[in-house]
Amino acid sequence: MGCLQTKHVSHSPLSLGAHEAVAPAAETSHDKVDLPDFLNIATGTPFTVSEVEALYDLFRKISNSVIKDGLIHMEEFHLALFRSKKKENLFVNRVFDLFDQKRNGVIEFGEFVCSLGVFHPDAPEEQKAAFAFRLYDLRQTGFIERHELKEMVFGYYK
């Protein structure tokens, strides 16, 4: 999915380009993220620095709700969305998979902010459409097949 720069920010020595914004944040200690990291993440997303700081507070609450390691696991993701640790919900599983850009089974802070950026009112419509398409393209064929749509619709109610 990747973060795309969606706003213009003057570049300073503390600021990285949009393509570099997620990596430093994802590699930073989860106990503390310094202001330059917030600035770098904000640069690569539609969020302001203060919004990224607020998202960090939310991230910490979710990531420490079950396993206190500063990463969001599937169980914590389900708990945050449905107040349940139930692991079998196709919709939640698909959203988790799209947020987990590194495909390592957890959502890191940089991935969290980058992925939430698609839901921001200022995010480009193309980005929103691409996210929705990937959500329903279960087999990643580049097409949404009839049985995939049916599976997703019924997956909402499991």
Side-chain angles (χ1 to χ4, degrees):
M1 184 159 63
C3 279
L4 301 174
Q5 188 167 356
T6 57
K7 63 183 175 195
H8 300 287
V9 176
S10 63
H11 292 281
S12 70
L14 298 175
S15 173
L16 296 175
H19 66 283
E20 300 169 299
V22 176
E27 297 169 3
T28 303
S29 166
H30 294 285
D31 294 331
K32 183 174 191 274
V33 174
D34 297 325
L35 183 58
D37 293 323
F38 289 136
L39 179 62
N40 290 335
I41 294 169
T43 300
T45 71
F47 297 111
T48 65
V49 173
S50 62
E51 289 171 330
V52 172
E53 290 171 349
L55 286 173
Y56 184 68
D57 290 339
L58 175 62
F59 177 83
R60 286 186 50 87
K61 287 177 188 172
I62 295 170
S63 68
N64 291 312
S65 61
V66 177
I67 302 167
K68 299 186 183 331
D69 63 354
L71 302 167
I72 297 176
H73 297 262
M74 179 70 80
E75 185 177 8
E76 292 167 323
F77 198 70
H78 277 270
L79 185 61
L81 291 177
F82 293 115
R83 299 283 186 230
S84 165
K85 294 179 187 177
K86 178 182 171 189
K87 290 190 177 188
E88 290 307 314
N89 181 299
L90 180 60
F91 178 76
V92 174
N93 292 348
R94 290 294 300 144
V95 173
F96 183 89
D97 288 343
L98 292 175
F99 274 49
D100 179 16
Q101 297 168 3
K102 289 184 175 179
R103 302 275 182 252
N104 59 357
V106 293
I107 300 169
E108 300 171 6
F109 180 60
E111 293 171 314
F112 182 72
V113 175
C114 181
S115 297
L116 284 175
V118 76
F119 299 103
H120 192 281
D122 294 337
E125 292 295 321
E126 298 81 23
Q127 204 177 6
K128 294 173 190 263
F131 181 88
F133 185 88
R134 284 191 306 273
L135 183 67
Y136 282 83
D137 184 15
L138 299 177
R139 289 158 199 42
Q140 300 171 3
T141 60
F143 301 94
I144 298 174
E145 300 166 12
R146 182 178 206 175
H147 66 276
E148 290 174 317
L149 181 60
K150 184 177 178 180
E151 195 174 335
M152 281 297 290
V153 170
F154 288 123
Y156 287 121
Y157 302 107
K158 287 186 179 182

